[in-house]
PDB file of all heavy atoms in Angstrom:
ATOM      1  N   SER A  16      -0.259  34.323 -11.378  1.00 98.00           N
ATOM      2  CA  SER A  16       0.585  34.036 -10.221  1.00 98.00           C
ATOM      3  C   SER A  16       0.959  32.556 -10.187  1.00 98.00           C
ATOM      4  O   SER A  16       0.712  31.812 -11.143  1.00 98.00           O
ATOM      5  CB  SER A  16      -0.134  34.439  -8.937  1.00 98.00           C
ATOM      6  OG  SER A  16      -1.259  33.619  -8.705  1.00 98.00           O
ATOM      7  N   ARG A  38      -6.252  16.458 -12.574  1.00 98.00           N
ATOM      8  CA  ARG A  38      -7.140  17.466 -12.014  1.00 98.00           C
ATOM      9  C   ARG A  38      -8.554  17.251 -12.520  1.00 98.00           C
ATOM     10  O   ARG A  38      -8.766  16.675 -13.580  1.00 98.00           O
ATOM     11  CB  ARG A  38      -6.649  18.873 -12.354  1.00 98.00           C
ATOM     12  CG  ARG A  38      -6.715  19.218 -13.836  1.00 98.00           C
ATOM     13  CD  ARG A  38      -6.068  20.584 -14.077  1.00 98.00           C
ATOM     14  NE  ARG A  38      -6.131  20.972 -15.486  1.00 98.00           N
ATOM     15  CZ  ARG A  38      -5.531  22.041 -15.991  1.00 98.00           C
ATOM     16  NH1 ARG A  38      -4.819  22.843 -15.198  1.00 98.00           N
ATOM     17  NH2 ARG A  38      -5.640  22.319 -17.273  1.00 98.00           N
ATOM     18  N   GLY A  42     -18.018  19.547 -13.045  1.00 94.00           N
ATOM     19  CA  GLY A  42     -18.751  19.189 -14.237  1.00 94.00           C
ATOM     20  C   GLY A  42     -17.907  18.615 -15.355  1.00 94.00           C
ATOM     21  O   GLY A  42     -18.422  18.365 -16.451  1.00 94.00           O
ATOM     22  N   ASP A  62      -0.607  19.180 -22.870  1.00 98.00           N
ATOM     23  CA  ASP A  62      -0.347  20.354 -23.697  1.00 98.00           C
ATOM     24  C   ASP A  62      -0.830  21.635 -23.027  1.00 98.00           C
ATOM     25  O   ASP A  62      -0.232  22.697 -23.184  1.00 98.00           O
ATOM     26  CB  ASP A  62      -1.024  20.191 -25.058  1.00 98.00           C
ATOM     27  CG  ASP A  62      -0.323  19.161 -25.928  1.00 98.00           C
ATOM     28  OD1 ASP A  62       0.838  18.811 -25.638  1.00 98.00           O
ATOM     29  OD2 ASP A  62      -0.946  18.704 -26.912  1.00 98.00           O
ATOM     30  N   GLN A 119      -6.223  12.497  -1.627  1.00 97.00           N
ATOM     31  CA  GLN A 119      -7.582  12.998  -1.419  1.00 97.00           C
ATOM     32  C   GLN A 119      -7.881  14.246  -2.249  1.00 97.00           C
ATOM     33  O   GLN A 119      -9.030  14.650  -2.369  1.00 97.00           O
ATOM     34  CB  GLN A 119      -7.811  13.307   0.068  1.00 97.00           C
ATOM     35  CG  GLN A 119      -7.269  14.647   0.545  1.00 97.00           C
ATOM     36  CD  GLN A 119      -5.754  14.719   0.628  1.00 97.00           C
ATOM     37  OE1 GLN A 119      -5.060  13.713   0.487  1.00 97.00           O
ATOM     38  NE2 GLN A 119      -5.233  15.910   0.856  1.00 97.00           N
TER      39      GLN A 119
END
Side-chain angles (χ1 to χ4, degrees):
S16 67
R38 67 186 181 187
D62 288 343
Q119 81 289 351

